[in-house]
């Protein structure tokens, strides 16, 4: 059998096996993949300019020209949802990666040094974690202001202590491993031990946290935008679509709120399902079951 055919057959077997064992995870991965395709190829998928206003098409119902209808300013809802996926994924991935990466280093460093450093660090993390995510995000927006870049900062900061706390619990066990003691004994620097020997061994919980953070970041961005504190016009964003008079047209033009709300729900649902599948795959106890 040719090598390419054998490779394709093996990949298909892996996919079918995963589909049988993790059907919801595959469904979540499909939703995530669909979002990525929408974001990357938005220029080719969207039939209209998402920021172009057409007052002659005021709140038009879904039809052949406007597949999901138009909003109160005559903008195509489908095109704005497609471009809104780009905004949601950009904010979600950047916030999750920066916040998770900072939490990873801080959590491993806290576990490695221990003692007074760990005690002070954990008390600071307790202070940050005592506030709900949305309250922390609102506080950060009040400090840094609105806009896409400011929203990323506002969402990133609350993620740091949550990731650090989870990673620290795994790093405490890694710190006691013989190879860490061996690295100390031969004179490796603290930074080398942390980055080369400890961080790679706590990547499983880190990856799980990242997938969960992306969904949470998308929801937080939509919430802040709905309140007028997040992404600002004319940038297409799902939260802004809900804010733009959708509640005033709940009966006469329900599609203005239904489709953006459905997009947010599916995005968060997809990342949560995919994150659960990643957790089940990387956790040896769940994998053995």
């Amino acid at each position: 059998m040719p090598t390419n055919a054998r490779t394709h057959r093996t990949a298909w077997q892996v996919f079918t096996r995963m589909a049988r064992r993790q059907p919801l995870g595959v469904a979540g991965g499909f939703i995530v993949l669909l979002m990525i395709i929408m974001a990357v190829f938005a220029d080719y998928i969207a039939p209209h300019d998402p920021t172009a206003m057409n007052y002659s098409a005021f709140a038009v119902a879904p039809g052949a020209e406007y597949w999901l209808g138009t909003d109160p300013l005559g903008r195509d809802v489908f095109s704005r949802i497609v471009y809104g996926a780009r905004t949601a994924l950009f904010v979600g991935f950047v916030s999750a990666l920066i916040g998770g990466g900072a939490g990873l280093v801080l959590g491993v460093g806290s576990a490695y040094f221990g003692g007074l450093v760990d005690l002070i660090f954990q008390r600071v993390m307790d202070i940050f974690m005592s506030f709900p995510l949305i309250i922390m995000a609102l506080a950060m927006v009040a400090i840094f202001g609105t806009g896409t870049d400011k929203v990323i900062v506002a969402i990133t900061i609350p993620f740091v202590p949550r990731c650090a706390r989870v990673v620290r619990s795994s790093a405490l066990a890694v710190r006691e491993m013989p190879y860490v003691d061996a690295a100390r004994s031969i004179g490796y620097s603290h930074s080398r031990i942390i980055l080369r020997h400890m961080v790679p061994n706590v990547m499983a919980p880190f990856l799980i946290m990242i997938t969960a953070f992306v969904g949470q970041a998308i929801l937080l961005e939509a919430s802040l935008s709905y309140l007028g504190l997040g992404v600002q016009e004319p940038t297409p964003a799902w939260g802004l679509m809900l804010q733009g008079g959708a509640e005033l047209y709940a009966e006469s033009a329900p599609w203005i709120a239904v489709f953006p709300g459905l997009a947010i729900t599916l995005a968060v649902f997809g990342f949560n399902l995919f994150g659960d599948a990643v957790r089940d795959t990387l956790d040896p106890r769940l994998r053995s079951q």
Side-chain angles (χ1 to χ4, degrees):
M1 181 181 295
T3 303
N4 291 337
R6 187 182 300 111
T7 302
H8 290 314
R9 181 178 179 181
T10 303
W12 176 252
Q13 289 174 345
V14 171
F15 175 78
T16 54
R17 187 183 305 115
M18 183 177 179
R20 289 195 302 268
R21 295 181 178 179
Q22 299 286 347
L24 294 180
V26 172
F30 177 77
I31 295 174
V32 172
L33 179 61
L34 181 62
M35 279 190 63
I36 294 174
I37 292 174
M38 288 173 56
V40 173
F41 299 102
D43 296 334
Y44 304 98
I45 296 175
H48 300 279
D49 185 345
T51 62
M53 294 180 286
N54 183 3
Y55 292 104
S56 63
F58 170 81
V60 172
E65 183 176 0
Y66 300 104
W67 298 344
L68 300 183
T70 62
D71 65 7
L73 297 178
R75 297 174 297 190
D76 181 40
V77 172
F78 177 74
S79 298
R80 290 182 64 78
I81 287 178
V82 171
Y83 276 90
R86 179 177 293 180
T87 303
L89 286 180
F90 176 73
V91 173
F93 277 114
V94 173
S95 301
L97 290 175
I98 295 178
L104 173 67
V105 175
L106 291 176
V108 174
S110 175
Y112 173 78
F113 290 106
L116 183 61
V117 173
D118 185 47
L119 179 63
I120 296 175
F121 177 78
Q122 291 308 308
R123 298 296 75 80
V124 173
M125 295 299 101
D126 288 341
I127 294 174
F128 278 95
M129 292 187 64
S130 64
F131 298 95
L133 273 175
I134 186 63
I135 301 300
M136 280 294 298
L138 288 171
M140 295 301 105
V141 167
I143 295 173
F144 297 107
T146 61
T148 304
D149 54 342
K150 307 297 193 307
V151 169
I152 291 175
V153 175
I155 296 175
T156 297
I157 293 176
F159 282 165
V160 175
R162 286 162 173 80
C163 183
R165 177 61 59 85
V166 173
V167 169
R168 173 185 173 272
S169 62
S170 299
L172 287 173
V174 175
R175 183 185 64 181
E176 306 302 326
M177 293 296 179
Y179 58 81
V180 175
D181 293 333
R184 289 198 192 99
S185 65
I186 61 178
Y188 282 178
S189 65
H190 295 316
S191 60
R192 180 169 182 174
I193 295 174
I194 291 173
L195 297 176
R196 296 279 305 270
H197 299 279
M198 293 188 67
V199 167
N201 289 283
V202 297
M203 289 302 293
F206 172 73
L207 293 176
I208 296 170
M209 292 292 293
I210 288 297
T211 56
F213 282 169
V214 175
Q216 293 177 9
I218 291 174
L219 186 59
L220 281 173
E221 181 273 318
S223 301
L224 293 174
S225 298
Y226 175 75
L227 295 174
L229 303 174
V231 179
Q232 301 296 304
E233 294 283 5
T235 304
W238 295 338
L240 280 178
M241 296 176 69
L242 291 174
Q243 179 204 36
E247 67 279 2
L248 301 177
Y249 300 92
E251 294 184 2
S252 59
W255 58 86
I256 298 176
V258 169
F259 293 119
L262 185 61
I264 297 171
T265 302
L266 286 176
V268 177
F269 188 59
F271 275 102
N272 287 342
L273 289 179
F274 184 68
D276 289 342
V278 172
R279 179 201 61 199
D280 295 346
T281 302
L282 296 179
D283 192 324
R285 294 168 298 178
L286 296 176
R287 186 169 63 242
S288 63
Q289 295 174 5

